[in-house]
Amino acid sequence: NGRNFIDFVLTTPGVVRDVRLGDISFAGQRGTLNSLVVDGANNDNTFFGQAVGRTGSGRAPYQFSQDAVKEFQVNANSYSAEFGRAGGAVINVVTKSGTNDFEGSVFGYYRDESLNANDYINVLNNRAKSPYHYDQYGFTAGGPIIRDKHFFFLNYDAQRNSLPNLVVLGGGRFSSFPSDADSQRGLSILEGLAESYTRNQDQDVYLLKTDHELGGNNHVSLRYNKQEFKGLNYENGGITNSIEHTGSSNVLTDSLSLVWSSAPRGSFFNELRGQYLKDREPGEANSSNPEATIFQGGNLVLTIGRNFFSPRETTIRRSQIADTVTYVLHSHTLKAGFDYNQDEILNFFPGNFSGSYRFNSLADFANGRAVSFTQAFAGAGTTGPTTRPDIKETAFFLHDEWRMTSQLTVNAGLRYDRQTHAQPDVQNPDPQLLAAGYRTDRIPIDSNNIGPRLGLAWTPRADGRMVVRAGYGLFYGRTTAIMTGTATSNNGINVQTFQFTGALVPRYPEIYSAVPSGATSNRPNIFVFDPDFENAKVAQASAG
């Protein structure tokens, strides 16, 4: 349902949805410890710790079309040193390729309110059917460019999903509002902003892949995938959120992958992989006015103005190169390789920089008397809400699959992973922090992540009707860039938040261009890394 190819993993024993939307939990571990690989290329969003595009998280539904997936592999207890950057599972996906035969497919799925009965609540209130529309459609096509040598595969996949967002003043908690003139005037203003609206999830996914046989021993595969998602009014929603208080949540991803496989000798095989990827996720604002929450008797009536963190943006630009060498020597299959991944990350999250008002009553709102006003400012000489928590990941591995006898195979390997982070450049001079050894300009680098792997497969009976398997390994998870980015901006200097009351509260919808004299900032929450911080380490063992 929804055609998200990642949901295939739910057919694996011990796998359930995580508590965070879009994540999958393997053996009870959090989804941030998983890794997704597509055609041998890293397909993780290293900022949020999810798949590229944050697919399945309630906004963008999928990045690759289900019809473009050829093979799907779940390495939940993999003791091969080839797999890493995950303390949970490595999900491996191979996309389809063209063949010597011209083949294709067309699919479509359609739902609409015109096909549905009216729901019970609408009938009770003599209302028409709620608007609803859901479409998914697309096609695949593949075949030869030159028979036996060059091939192509095309895929297009689209979704059009429209959902209503009902807006009710007070969320239905009020049977009536105060009848005095000021309250009624405030109510009249809000009624003009409380129209229900539609939230759309519209997406187009494109894939083009070519495969080339170069001589008898070389194969080159080139794949380009593009995702364009527009989540109209998905920045916020709910029964007490006006259309002003939301905006479009967009996802724009591009990935270009190259795989060159060569086998110069029957016992020697090499696979070189490269990738360029961009994952851009901007959030828009429907209003230029600051946020305002209007209460009556302690209950929220309506939230208007722009969302307090909009507009925002998170963009990842990735360059990756990896190589794996395989050599067969008698009863040994030896593998060795490296993997280098570099992510340039831009995160812009202007929380409260556009201001946020609170009104305790409709009358106060009508008269412009806010009880408080909150606004954040960038610290002098800092980048304020903009951070660049870049990541570099390097891995090396060596693995041996040794067939000791016809009934016993031993897998043994060693893997090394190192993740480096861009270092912050602002040190909070607070003497208590310094005395405790906490520095806001330093993020520790964990450089001793060595992971041994050992696996056994034994067939005790000659007829092969029983197999005993066992294994043990150390695995290291990734530290997400949202952690390092948060430590960079929330150092007590970059972002300084003030709450104004009394005479310092400006008149809605004005905001301050600079910190006014006499203002005192809120006591900040400071995020700082422990000097002995290490990446997550997971020990896994299994027997069956």
Side-chain angles (χ1 to χ4, degrees):
N1 182 26
R3 296 178 58 83
N4 183 3
F5 69 95
I6 298 177
D7 287 345
F8 282 135
V9 303
L10 296 173
T11 63
T12 305
V15 180
V16 296
R17 295 193 186 278
D18 199 348
V19 293
R20 184 170 72 157
L21 285 176
D23 287 6
I24 306 291
S25 173
F26 288 81
Q29 298 195 73
R30 295 301 302 268
T32 52
L33 289 176
N34 300 329
S35 181
L36 176 64
V37 176
V38 179
D39 294 330
N42 179 13
N43 206 67
D44 299 323
N45 182 301
T46 54
F47 186 85
F48 293 105
Q50 296 178 295
V52 166
R54 302 187 72 195
T55 53
S57 59
R59 292 174 178 147
Y62 45 84
Q63 182 203 358
F64 285 85
S65 171
Q66 178 178 300
D67 279 32
V69 175
K70 177 186 177 184
E71 298 178 13
F72 199 91
Q73 181 189 49
V74 178
N75 298 286
N77 291 108
S78 173
Y79 299 105
S80 171
E82 185 176 359
F83 299 110
R85 296 187 183 130
V90 175
I91 303 165
N92 192 19
V93 176
V94 178
T95 58
K96 291 179 180 178
S97 298
T99 67
N100 272 332
D101 298 317
F102 286 103
E103 295 180 337
S105 64
V106 177
F107 66 89
Y109 176 80
Y110 177 81
R111 284 185 66 184
D112 190 83
E113 71 265 19
S114 63
L115 305 177
N116 299 341
N118 204 359
D119 68 64
Y120 182 68
I121 301 300
N122 284 344
V123 171
L124 281 179
N125 291 279
N126 295 315
R127 290 197 298 251
K129 296 178 185 178
S130 301
Y132 181 73
H133 184 82
Y134 190 88
D135 257 340
Q136 283 184 293
Y137 51 89
F139 71 90
T140 66
I145 301 172
I146 298 177
R147 293 184 63 83
D148 298 325
K149 289 186 177 296
H150 306 287
F151 311 91
F152 78 94
F153 179 79
L154 288 170
N155 169 243
Y156 171 71
D157 192 313
Q159 172 181 291
R160 303 290 183 265
N161 188 12
S162 177
L163 294 166
N165 189 98
L166 183 67
V167 178
V168 178
L169 290 176
R173 291 183 293 270
F174 294 87
S175 57
S176 62
F177 290 98
S179 58
D180 61 280
D182 286 343
S183 296
Q184 288 297 307
R185 186 157 50 92
L187 183 63
S188 177
I189 297 171
L190 294 185
E191 285 175 339
L193 300 172
E195 293 184 5
S196 297
Y197 51 90
T198 299
R199 307 175 79 198
N200 291 357
Q201 292 179 310
D202 296 341
Q203 176 168 281
D204 295 279
V205 173
Y206 311 85
L207 182 139
L208 171 62
K209 186 176 182 181
T210 63
D211 290 85
H212 309 273
E213 300 295 338
L214 306 178
N217 300 317
N218 290 275
H219 178 89
V220 174
S221 179
L222 183 65
R223 189 245 313 145
Y224 173 71
N225 188 81
K226 184 178 185 66
Q227 172 193 21
E228 294 180 332
F229 171 79
K230 186 174 181 66
L232 181 68
N233 296 326
Y234 257 86
E235 280 294 88
N236 218 319
I239 200 168
T240 57
N241 277 296
S242 70
I243 192 171
E244 281 192 342
H245 195 240
T246 184
S248 292
S249 298
N250 301 327
V251 177
L252 306 164
T253 70
D254 295 89
S255 62
L256 180 64
S257 170
L258 173 70
V259 180
W260 175 26
S261 304
S262 60
R265 297 196 306 273
S267 60
F268 181 84
F269 178 79
N270 188 77
E271 185 177 74
L272 177 67
R273 303 183 300 276
Q275 176 186 216
Y276 173 77
L277 180 145
K278 182 168 72 172
D279 182 350
R280 183 169 177 261
E281 301 186 26
E284 301 174 354
N286 282 349
S287 173
S288 59
N289 291 331
E291 178 182 83
T293 53
I294 298 94
F295 291 80
Q296 181 67 45
N299 292 313
L300 178 62
V301 178
L302 189 67
T303 304
I304 62 175
R306 71 167 62 177
N307 195 321
F308 76 94
F309 57 75
S310 298
R312 59 169 181 86
E313 179 181 353
T314 304
T315 297
I316 301 173
R317 286 180 172 85
R318 171 171 303 152
S319 300
Q320 181 184 11
I321 185 168
D323 190 83
T324 300
V325 176
T326 303
Y327 183 63
V328 179
L329 180 65
H330 305 301
S331 60
H332 296 267
T333 300
L334 302 170
K335 275 189 175 184
F338 74 90
D339 191 341
Y340 177 75
N341 193 84
Q342 177 176 306
D343 283 1
E344 296 177 355
I345 304 174
L346 166 67
N347 185 52
F348 175 65
F349 191 84
N352 284 317
F353 274 73
S354 58
S356 180
Y357 284 82
R358 178 187 170 106
F359 295 91
N360 275 348
S361 68
L362 292 167
D364 286 348
F365 173 66
N367 293 312
R369 294 193 303 263
V371 67
S372 65
F373 172 69
T374 302
Q375 187 176 347
F377 302 85
T382 74
T383 58
T386 301
T387 57
R388 296 187 179 274
D390 298 345
I391 287 176
K392 293 180 182 178
E393 297 173 317
T394 307
F396 300 94
F397 76 91
L398 178 65
H399 189 85
D400 180 18
E401 182 180 312
W402 180 18
R403 191 171 180 82
M404 297 181 66
T405 70
S406 61
Q407 294 175 281
L408 178 63
T409 299
V410 177
N411 285 276
L414 196 64
R415 182 181 175 93
Y416 174 74
D417 285 286
R418 188 172 190 266
Q419 179 185 6
T420 62
H421 313 278
Q423 295 297 310
D425 55 8
V426 175
Q427 168 61 39
N428 190 311
D430 184 270
Q432 287 181 294
L433 282 177
L434 296 176
Y438 293 121
R439 300 186 61 92
T440 62
D441 64 344
R442 186 175 302 165
I443 297 173
I445 306 299
D446 186 6
S447 298
N448 62 349
N449 294 336
I450 298 175
R453 312 285 172 85
L454 179 64
L456 302 173
W458 175 43
T459 307
R461 293 172 46 165
D463 60 11
R465 297 183 62 184
M466 173 184 284
V467 179
V468 178
R469 301 181 189 275
Y472 174 82
L474 288 181
F475 302 81
Y476 295 89
R478 174 185 287 122
T479 298
T480 55
I482 194 171
M483 293 177 65
T484 58
T486 299
T488 300
S489 59
N490 287 30
N491 53 19
I493 306 295
N494 268 52
V495 177
Q496 299 178 11
T497 304
F498 294 78
Q499 186 173 51
F500 305 98
T501 57
L504 285 176
V505 176
R507 187 169 185 84
Y508 184 82
E510 296 174 359
I511 66 173
Y512 287 112
S513 58
V515 180
S517 59
T520 303
S521 67
N522 296 345
R523 185 175 180 85
N525 287 321
I526 295 177
F527 290 78
V528 64
F529 274 76
D530 189 296
D532 298 321
F533 176 84
E534 296 181 350
N535 287 59
K537 179 170 68 174
V538 179
Q540 291 190 26
S542 65

